[in-house]
RNA sequence: CGGCGAUUAGCGCAGCUUGGUAGCGCACUUGGUUUGGGUCCAAGGGGUCGCAGGUUCAAAUCCUGCAUCGCCGACCA
């Protein structure tokens, strides 16, 4: 491609609304343009990269035995009513009507459509297992699209769905997909980690997310420093710090703490360790247990107290999963707390608290600790379980932190930010039962299909790769993703017939050899050309100038290493192909 | 959905407090100059100042409403 006939669209300045580096560089390098919030046009350079990712994904999926299909983006509401998600999905599902006033949705995912296909096409266990995938545009009406194509409303996803009659078969395919995903991300040159993930509302017994490690990621990943254990922090188990509390050494005493409304203030004013304090958080109780509470009759909502150590953070997902706690988690308001306890947040604690209490594992092993007295402006110091207050129910309620013991017993945890680029899970029969997708098994009996589902955020990978591969001059593409492998930069071509001749010849030679080459034939100054090609991130640059032509040589420059070497013109093709 | 902020040329911004009919840098066009890392000089083109009302002799500027975009939070497969 000649730049003079191309839509380059590079920019020197960064648009003000681009926050993360990948978004800034994608705009500056002329890869995408925003059409509306969360909606982007892929311009030529960006589209080439997107196609590269798609192709790697497609090849590895096929290698792993999956077969490609293409399902519609617009889907009839009937199918969603059948699965129950027409009502369950919420406002992220964009619902539209056609001219006949019939309901449709813009597909955020395709379980319904694929189940519908398979229940018609598959009648016998002999046709299984089957793994179908597509690379398709999805639409999720995100509340807050951000970071460019990293979290957009319309995006490209590879989704695959496998169908089985036995759990063993599902597990086989799941393992195959796990390996295929590792191959894909390795081929794309990404630094990634598979992590144990939430099976969530979808159920099933196994799920992994694949995260590209990057500081701009939206998820926190906990991983062991000495084993393969890795999990989303939302899920990572916080193991008990000690089995038994130390023996009590202090008597419990009530202290006036009128100025200590926060843990921080308490710690500073009374010179105590934050590890010897606890936080008491009041949340709404689940309806099923509400009848048993002793909350005052006039309290509108039944409440539960959750207690964690002063320096720990509540994990809201873990808390909401507890059977006594309302899901989703709802924090009690100031008024609710005062009505129930008689004191406000900042003076709460386990002693004399008249509501169910659940304490974190770390809290269970504390002794001589401080907590609010449930009386405005007072705290108890030197509290000990059993002696001063009965030990409440213990649960895992907190977020793990760097330095915590790994739940698998090997090593300690580190925490890193990750961008979720893939997610695989074993669905089970949730959709096949709802959608009545079954086959006759070997015994001649009808059986619901067991499903697996495997997603990759194709467009998100482009952004994630840039997050990991950039410098002050722009993008540094991994070879597999580069829009062009080589660029030819002729110095002052319009003044030198020799330079032009060599450039044209080299361009033709590389093209003929199947190398993706961008020939910068603009009448631009060298600095402009260098800057643009580095911004776009093309791995290999060939500089042609009078300087080297007497020796029949040109200069080669590597984008990633920055290393330069002088090459004979005849050796350029081999050099580029060997890289 | 709540809080905060923004909206002036393709991009980045100033002007608004104190009302007088719009400017800077980059980009673009033309001429010259320069030519191995975003040259320099000169001359140009381009804006219903987000939209709709209101106040005023006069509104980018003051007031009201709306829209869009963004940030924080909440939410979320």
């Amino acid at each position: 491609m000649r730049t003079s006939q191309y839509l380059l669209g590079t920019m020197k300045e960064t648009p003000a609304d681009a926050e993360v580096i990948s978004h800034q560089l994608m705009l500056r390098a002329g890869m995408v343009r925003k059409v509306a919030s969360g909606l982007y046009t892929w311009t030529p350079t960006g589209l080439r990269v997107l196609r590269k990712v798609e192709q790697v994904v497609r090849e590895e999926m096929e290698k792993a035995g999956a077969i490609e299909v293409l399902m519609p983006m617009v889907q009839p509401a009937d199918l969603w009513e059948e699965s129950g998600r027409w009502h369950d999905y919420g406002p992220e599902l964009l619902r539209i009507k056609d001219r006949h006033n019939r309901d449709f949705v813009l597909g955020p995912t395709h379980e319904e459509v694929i189940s519908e296909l398979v229940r018609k096409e598959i009648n016998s266990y002999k046709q299984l297992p089957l793994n179908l995938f597509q690379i398709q545009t999805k639409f999720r009406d995100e509340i807050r699209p951000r970071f460019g194509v990293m979290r957009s409303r319309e995006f490209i996803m590879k989704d695959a769905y496998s169908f089985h009659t036995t759990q063993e078969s599902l597990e086989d395919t799941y393992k195959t997909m796990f390996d295929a995903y590792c191959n894909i991300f390795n081929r794309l040159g990404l630094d990634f980690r598979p992590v144990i993930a939430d099976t969530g509302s979808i159920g099933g017994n196994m799920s992994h997310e694949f995260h590209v490690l990057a500081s701009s990621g939206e998820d926190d990943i906990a991983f062991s420093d000495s084993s393969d254990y890795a999990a989303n922090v939302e899920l990572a188990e916080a193991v008990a710090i000690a089995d038994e509390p130390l023996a009590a050494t202090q008597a419990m005493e009530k202290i006036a703490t009128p100025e200590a409304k926060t843990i921080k203030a308490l710690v500073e004013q009374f010179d105590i360790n934050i590890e010897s304090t606890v936080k008491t958080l009041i949340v709404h109780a689940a309806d099923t247990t509400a009848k048993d509470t002793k909350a005052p009759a006039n309290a509108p909502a039944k409440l539960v107290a959750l207690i964690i150590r002063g320096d720990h953070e509540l994990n809201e997902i873990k808390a909401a999963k507890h059977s006594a706690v309302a899901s989703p988690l709802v924090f009690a308001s100031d008024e609710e707390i005062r009505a129930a306890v008689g004191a406000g947040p900042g003076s709460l604690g386990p002693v004399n608290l008249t509501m169910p209490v659940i304490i974190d594992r770390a809290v269970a092993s504390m002794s001589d600790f401080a907590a609010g007295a449930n009386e405005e402006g007072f705290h108890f110091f030197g509290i000990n379980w059993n002696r001063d207050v009965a030990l409440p129910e213990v649960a895992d309620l907190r977020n793990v932190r760097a330095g915590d013991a790994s739940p698998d017993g090997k090593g300690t945890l580190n925490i890193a930010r990750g961008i979720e680029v893939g997610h695989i899970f074993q669905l089970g029969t949730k959709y096949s039962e709802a959608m009545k997708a079954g086959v006759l098994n070997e015994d001649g009996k009808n059986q619901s299909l067991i499903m697996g589902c495997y997603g990759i955020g194709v467009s998100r990978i482009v952004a994630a790769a840039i997050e990991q591969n950039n410098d002050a001059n722009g993008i540094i593409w991994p070879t597999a993703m580069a829009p062009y492998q080589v660029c030819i930069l002729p110095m002052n071509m319009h003044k030198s017939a020799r330079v032009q001749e060599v450039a044209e010849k080299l361009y033709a030679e590389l093209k003929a050899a199947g190398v993706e080459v961008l020939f910068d034939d603009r009448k631009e100054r060298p600095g402009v050309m260098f800057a643009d090609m580095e911004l776009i991130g093309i791995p290999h640059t060939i500089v042609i100038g009078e300087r080297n032509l007497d020796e029949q040589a040109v200069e080669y420059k590597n984008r990633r290493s920055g290393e330069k070497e002088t090459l004979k013109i005849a050796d350029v093709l081999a050099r580029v192909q060997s890289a």
Side-chain angles (χ1 to χ4, degrees):
Chain A
M1 177 59 66
R2 294 169 190 269
T3 52
S4 63
Q5 293 163 22
Y6 191 59
L7 183 62
L8 214 46
T10 52
M11 290 188 281
K12 229 191 270 193
E13 287 182 280
T14 304
D17 59 357
E19 201 190 355
V20 296
I21 191 73
S22 60
H23 189 195
Q24 295 172 358
L25 289 175
M26 287 181 81
L27 291 168
R28 290 222 292 132
M31 293 179 63
V32 291
R33 291 291 185 254
K34 184 164 75 175
V35 175
S37 179
L39 303 175
Y40 290 84
T41 291
W42 289 81
T43 38
T45 307
L47 182 61
R48 290 184 69 95
V49 176
L50 193 61
R51 294 286 186 242
K52 289 291 180 72
V53 177
E54 283 181 14
Q55 196 50 36
V56 169
V57 170
R58 180 174 285 117
E59 285 171 15
E60 292 300 324
M61 289 303 289
E62 287 179 347
K63 200 182 289 178
I67 313 162
E68 187 164 6
V69 295
L70 186 60
M71 293 179 269
M73 194 185 160
V74 175
Q75 307 173 10
D78 322 357
L79 290 178
W80 286 73
E81 274 166 5
E82 228 181 304
S83 72
R85 291 208 288 185
W86 176 257
H87 303 285
D88 297 345
Y89 210 100
E92 224 174 76
L93 180 65
L94 183 64
R95 297 149 211 257
I96 52 179
K97 284 180 188 292
D98 72 0
R99 66 199 298 165
H100 304 294
N101 211 33
R102 286 188 288 244
D103 289 311
F104 287 84
V105 306
L106 239 43
T109 174
H110 282 72
E111 280 87 1
E112 282 79 3
V113 179
I114 197 86
S115 297
E116 204 268 340
L117 174 75
V118 165
R119 76 179 165 192
K120 282 184 179 158
E121 299 298 324
I122 303 297
N123 310 304
S124 162
Y125 73 94
K126 293 175 188 169
Q127 294 167 281
L128 299 175
L130 186 67
N131 190 0
L132 299 172
F133 79 98
Q134 67 169 347
I135 296 174
Q136 178 48 311
T137 298
K138 310 283 191 198
F139 190 94
R140 293 181 191 171
D141 201 355
E142 294 278 349
I143 295 172
R144 187 144 89 86
R146 64 186 122 179
F147 302 160
V149 300
M150 193 105 87
R151 188 174 205 81
S152 52
R153 293 194 291 176
E154 191 177 285
F155 58 99
I156 295 179
M157 183 169 172
K158 185 286 300 178
D159 48 328
Y161 307 88
S162 69
F163 299 88
H164 314 266
T165 51
T166 66
Q167 177 65 24
E168 294 69 44
S169 170
L170 170 61
E171 283 169 18
D172 272 358
T173 298
Y174 186 87
K175 178 71 171 66
T176 303
M177 284 294 108
F178 186 101
D179 294 341
Y181 274 39
C182 292
N183 291 341
I184 288 167
F185 300 127
N186 280 327
R187 271 185 70 182
L188 292 174
L190 298 170
D191 182 15
F192 73 98
R193 279 230 169 209
V195 309
I196 299 165
D198 191 4
T199 49
S201 53
I202 289 183
N205 47 11
M206 180 67 90
S207 178
H208 285 88
E209 290 170 349
F210 290 78
H211 283 263
V212 165
L213 301 181
S215 58
S216 59
E218 296 184 277
D219 291 286
D220 279 314
I221 310 302
F223 56 97
S224 167
D225 62 2
S226 45
S227 76
D228 283 341
Y229 179 85
N232 199 309
V233 164
E234 292 177 348
L235 272 293
E237 183 184 357
V239 298
I241 290 173
D243 293 337
E244 291 290 327
L246 293 171
T249 63
Q250 300 173 9
M252 184 170 82
E253 49 178 336
K254 189 157 123 186
I255 306 283
T257 54
E259 303 301 321
K261 295 293 180 198
T262 63
I263 296 282
K264 188 164 174 276
L266 187 72
V267 166
E268 284 170 3
Q269 289 169 28
F270 294 89
D271 193 27
I272 49 181
N273 287 328
I274 193 164
E275 292 84 2
S276 300
T277 65
V278 299
K279 282 190 274 213
T280 304
L281 306 166
I282 311 291
V283 301
H284 286 187
D287 287 342
T288 49
T289 59
K291 295 181 190 71
D292 302 331
T293 66
K294 293 174 187 164
N298 60 346
K302 305 297 182 185
L303 304 175
V304 177
L306 306 177
I307 301 185
I308 56 175
R309 209 169 74 183
D311 57 325
H312 285 157
E313 235 175 58
L314 180 71
N315 181 312
E316 299 189 18
I317 291 177
K318 289 178 182 175
K321 279 185 184 165
H322 193 284
S323 60
V325 176
S327 181
L329 194 74
V330 181
F331 282 101
S333 66
D334 261 35
E335 296 72 46
E336 287 172 325
I337 293 171
R338 284 178 195 283
V341 181
S347 301
L348 301 176
V351 181
N352 302 328
L353 191 60
T354 54
M355 67 176 72
V357 176
I358 307 166
I359 65 172
D360 182 62
R361 288 168 173 171
V363 174
S365 61
M366 291 170 71
S367 58
D368 295 335
F369 62 89
N374 300 320
E375 190 178 326
E376 203 66 36
F378 287 92
H379 280 75
F380 284 116
F381 286 15
I383 306 171
N384 284 276
W385 295 117
N386 298 320
R387 185 191 72 182
D388 303 317
V389 58
L391 185 69
E393 181 181 351
V394 179
D396 177 14
L397 293 177
R398 71 179 176 95
N399 282 333
V400 294
R401 292 195 308 193
D404 283 351
S406 177
D408 66 355
K410 297 171 192 162
T412 58
L413 295 177
N414 289 323
I415 309 251
R417 301 288 279 176
I419 300 166
E420 183 188 346
V421 292
H423 197 160
I424 59 177
F425 41 97
Q426 300 181 7
L427 277 182
T429 55
K430 175 179 163 122
Y431 293 94
S432 54
E433 275 173 16
M435 309 274 307
K436 298 186 173 55
V439 290
L440 289 185
N441 62 21
E442 294 177 61
D443 305 326
K445 288 184 182 157
N446 200 290
Q447 162 185 0
S448 288
L449 292 169
I450 301 171
M451 291 174 64
C453 140
Y454 321 92
I456 287 183
V458 173
S459 38
R460 179 179 282 184
I461 282 177
V462 176
I466 296 172
E467 290 291 327
Q468 279 190 344
N469 297 281
N470 67 80
D471 66 11
N473 295 323
I475 302 167
I476 305 173
W477 287 116
T479 306
M481 263 189 258
Y484 292 92
Q485 299 303 312
V486 182
C487 61
I488 295 176
L489 300 191
M491 301 291 102
N492 307 312
M493 182 171 75
H494 63 284
K495 282 227 177 126
S496 166
R498 264 209 317 173
V499 169
Q500 178 165 17
E501 186 191 337
V502 171
E504 290 285 356
K505 208 178 129 210
L506 200 52
Y507 175 54
E509 183 192 355
L510 291 173
K511 264 206 311 185
V515 176
E516 295 166 306
V517 52
L518 189 59
F519 176 19
D520 200 347
D521 62 341
R522 292 176 297 172
K523 193 178 168 183
E524 283 290 356
R525 296 177 56 79
V528 173
M529 295 182 179
F530 281 116
D532 275 347
M533 294 305 127
E534 280 166 10
L535 175 60
I536 294 170
I538 298 178
H540 312 292
T541 299
I542 303 296
V543 183
I544 300 170
E546 285 284 349
R547 194 182 281 181
N548 296 308
L549 284 186
D550 287 340
E551 285 78 46
Q552 285 295 300
V554 295
E555 182 182 295
Y556 165 86
K557 186 175 181 188
N558 185 282
R559 175 68 179 93
R560 189 172 290 272
S561 68
E563 284 165 14
K564 296 177 186 176
E565 51 190 287
T566 304
L567 288 181
K568 293 291 181 194
I569 295 170
D571 298 336
V572 169
L573 179 61
R575 176 69 183 82
V576 163
Q577 284 178 328
S578 72

